[in-house]
Amino acid sequence: MIEELLKIKEELLGDIKKLTNLKELNEVRIKAFGKAGAISNLSKGMRDVAPEDRPKFGALINIARSEIERELELKNKEFEEAELNKRLQEEKVDITEPSKACEIGALHPISDVIDRLTDICVDMGFSVVEGPEIESDYYNFEAMNIPKNHPSRDMQDTFFITDEILLRSQTSAVQAREMEKRKPPFKIVCPGKTYRNDSDATHSPIFNQLEGLVVDENISMADLKSMLTILMKRLYGEDTKIRFRPSFFPFTEPSIEVDVSCPNCHGKGCNICKGSGMLELLGAGVVNPKVLEMSGIDSKKYRGFAFGFGLDRTAMILNSIGNIRSLYRNDKRFLEQMR
Ligand code: DAH
């Protein structure tokens, strides 16, 4: 038996020496230690050994087992290392190769202007709200003190769905909606799409506005002017000059229009400001008490100021865009320039 054991051990160790890969290694492992493996069979053969020889024989089997296991383990390590080196070699990355360009998106200039303006307003304590683009004649016109058949309706010809339902021609429509909902004091801004029956290089049937409304006690034109001055300087730069001109809107009294020095030429005159050095940017004013009353706000106690920006114009000025239609064509080449 002992002789047989030594023979088997030598044979297995010989096999191990000749191994060339992991697959063969596993075959030898099974040949030795599998259910019907040579070493397993020797253990089973113990019962044929004389009882007094059994301890010695058992010890020899154990020695053979650990020797074979050790050799298998060494080979295993060797193969694993070789495998790893092979993979490292094959999967080597050449970091000097030029990389594949990955496309980076950009915000649409209108979204960018909305973000910038609302950020500034939120810093000043305004809440950002939204309103419906499909609006009633009441909120868009009547509640803004623009009655049916009033000549000022001509300034804002829009798209009517029925006699009473239309695409809003101004974000001012949210003013009445918010006044009905809220209790003063409050400050809101509302960016959004607006529509008019207009189309040329500076007018698009769809465009964007940002409306602002503040209602509180003791509000005056001075509050409006200082707030707009801060807003304009933060948007266009500290050295921006601001001009307030008297104007007319049915929903404000008094009403003003606001111009800023052209950020492109700083007031000298260029093609963006058409040589005037100034750019007309928005309408504003002290809310007409009639408008407050129509929406259920006590005009003896409260006053308000409001303003309405054209966002397309702002985006065009900030990005030197010549034609408003570029903003709505979804031409990728145009958008790529906005990065
Ligand atoms: N809604 C006006 C327009 O579209 C702009 C405007 C002017 C809004 C004065 C206001 C305002 O809130 O007070 O032409």
Side-chain angles (χ1 to χ4, degrees), residues 144 155-156 169-173 175 196 207 209-213 249 251-252 255-256 282-287 305-309:
M144 289 289 101
M155 286 158 65
Q156 300 195 11
S169 64
Q170 50 181 354
T171 43
S172 300
Q175 284 195 22
R196 283 187 207 175
F207 58 107
Q209 289 189 329
L210 179 121
E211 192 78 12
L213 174 67
F249 299 100
F251 32 90
T252 42
S255 305
I256 55 171
L282 69 145
V286 174
V287 179
F305 70 71
F307 53 92
F309 264 85

Side-chain angles (χ1 to χ4, degrees), residues 55-75:
K56 192 176 160 216
F57 188 65
L60 282 174
I61 293 181
N62 283 341
I63 290 169
R65 179 191 299 278
S66 45
E67 215 172 304
I68 291 165
E69 270 171 358
R70 200 186 59 229
E71 290 305 309
L72 281 172
E73 200 38 50
L74 283 174
K75 274 281 171 196

